[in-house]
Amino acid sequence: MSEKTKPYALITGASKGIGKSIAYELAKQGYPLLLVARSNEKLKALSDDLQVKYNVNASVLSIDLSINGASLQVANWVKTNNYPVGILVNNAGYGVWGDFSQSALSDQLGMMQLNMNVVVELSHLLVPILSQEKQAYILNISSTAAYQAVPTLAVYSATKAFVLSFTRALRFELAKTSISVTCFSPGPVDTGFASRAGLDALSKMAEKFNMQPDEVAKIAVKAMFNKKSEVIPGFTNIISVYANRVLPKAFIEKTAAGIYKI
């Protein structure tokens, strides 16, 4: 299949981290891209590099998805330009670390908007467009935090549990359509996430366990195209999630609290 006949892949949070690496991975495979993130400067630089290296079209939309109505603007951008989207990667998200009662409510609500509402909104708005393709995909980026309650990351872990549950249900509902839905739940990845969340001390410790964004992106894209339902990359992460299922929740939560209180 030539690049011209391939549908577009829309990636949120595309300017850095896992989203950026997924953009490169899909560009290598000849997919034209729709790159969405806040930083116009980073998006333009990424777009230029992708077009030079892989000769694919990479259009950009600089927008803050945490603002109400932003998802509709993304959908209208797609419709106005008649982009034939066949892949939706819901990657944008962030974490807020600290005791819930001591953290700013505005930060928590903004995180909920981006991590949950935008995933639901874009999925709902783009399913009609995705369904026009013979084969289409939705890839939702969750986290191993989805499998347990995490004190001091209480709302973040809850948002990722939401993404996991939503993806499972949506996959079932769309099973008889042309759209395959995959949930991808990485553990620590070297993306700067911990620093943004305020976990500088933990980020130093996590360096021993971090996976690299390019490595994670390859696994994610392969899982998506193989129509996997739920994927956790990395043996250590798989063991961790399994432990969450079999060990007492009180023990898991106490352990997590000890780690994230650093």
Side-chain angles (χ1 to χ4, degrees):
M1 182 181 291
S2 67
E3 183 273 325
K4 291 183 179 179
T5 64
K6 288 187 177 182
Y8 278 78
L10 190 155
I11 306 170
T12 66
S15 63
K16 58 185 178 180
I18 296 174
K20 182 178 180 180
S21 292
I22 288 177
Y24 275 102
E25 187 63 26
L26 289 172
K28 288 178 187 176
Q29 299 186 35
Y31 283 88
L33 303 168
L34 301 178
L35 307 172
V36 180
R38 289 186 303 172
S39 174
N40 186 64
E41 183 178 347
K42 290 180 180 179
L43 286 177
K44 290 295 292 180
L46 174 60
S47 173
D48 291 344
D49 194 46
L50 289 169
Q51 292 184 79
V52 169
K53 286 184 177 178
Y54 304 110
N55 193 32
V56 296
N57 184 43
S59 299
V60 305
L61 178 64
S62 174
I63 189 170
D64 184 350
L65 287 172
S66 67
I67 297 174
N68 288 331
S71 295
L72 184 57
Q73 291 184 51
V74 174
N76 288 338
W77 174 57
V78 171
K79 293 176 182 176
T80 299
N81 291 282
N82 294 313
Y83 292 125
V85 177
I87 299 172
L88 169 62
V89 181
N90 284 309
N91 167 73
Y94 68 91
V96 174
W97 173 77
D99 289 340
F100 171 73
S101 61
Q102 302 302 314
S103 301
L105 180 59
S106 59
D107 290 342
Q108 304 287 353
L109 294 177
M111 177 174 57
M112 292 171 67
Q113 170 66 21
L114 184 59
N115 292 11
M116 297 190 300
N117 291 7
V118 170
V119 174
V120 172
E121 292 164 1
L122 286 179
S123 296
H124 193 275
L125 290 165
L126 293 183
V127 158
I129 296 173
L130 292 166
S131 63
Q132 295 176 27
E133 298 298 321
K134 185 176 181 180
Q135 179 61 62
Y137 306 88
I138 296 176
L139 176 63
N140 291 335
I141 307 300
S142 182
S143 166
T144 51
Y147 295 90
Q148 66 179 90
V150 183
T152 69
L153 284 170
V155 176
Y156 173 77
S157 59
T159 65
K160 291 305 182 178
F162 174 91
V163 171
L164 176 61
S165 180
F166 170 68
T167 306
R168 286 171 171 169
L170 184 61
R171 177 181 175 86
F172 187 89
E173 291 184 15
L174 297 176
K176 295 182 179 180
T177 73
S178 63
I179 305 173
S180 174
V181 187
T182 298
C183 188
F184 187 74
S185 300
V189 181
D190 188 12
T191 62
F193 168 86
S195 294
R196 179 177 180 184
L199 281 160
D200 289 315
L202 183 65
S203 66
K204 295 178 182 178
M205 183 182 73
E207 288 176 0
K208 300 178 182 178
F209 305 100
N210 275 347
M211 297 181 72
Q212 295 303 308
D214 290 350
E215 175 189 12
V216 169
K218 288 180 181 179
I219 298 170
V221 170
K222 182 178 179 180
M224 177 186 72
F225 285 137
N226 285 338
K227 302 182 182 180
K228 299 292 186 180
S229 60
E230 191 176 327
V231 177
I232 301 164
F235 180 75
T236 301
N237 295 324
I238 294 172
I239 294 299
S240 173
V241 168
Y242 178 76
N244 293 335
R245 291 172 176 169
V246 299
L247 294 176
K249 287 183 172 57
F251 173 79
I252 293 295
E253 289 157 13
K254 184 177 180 179
T255 301
I259 295 173
Y260 288 98
K261 278 290 186 181
I262 291 176

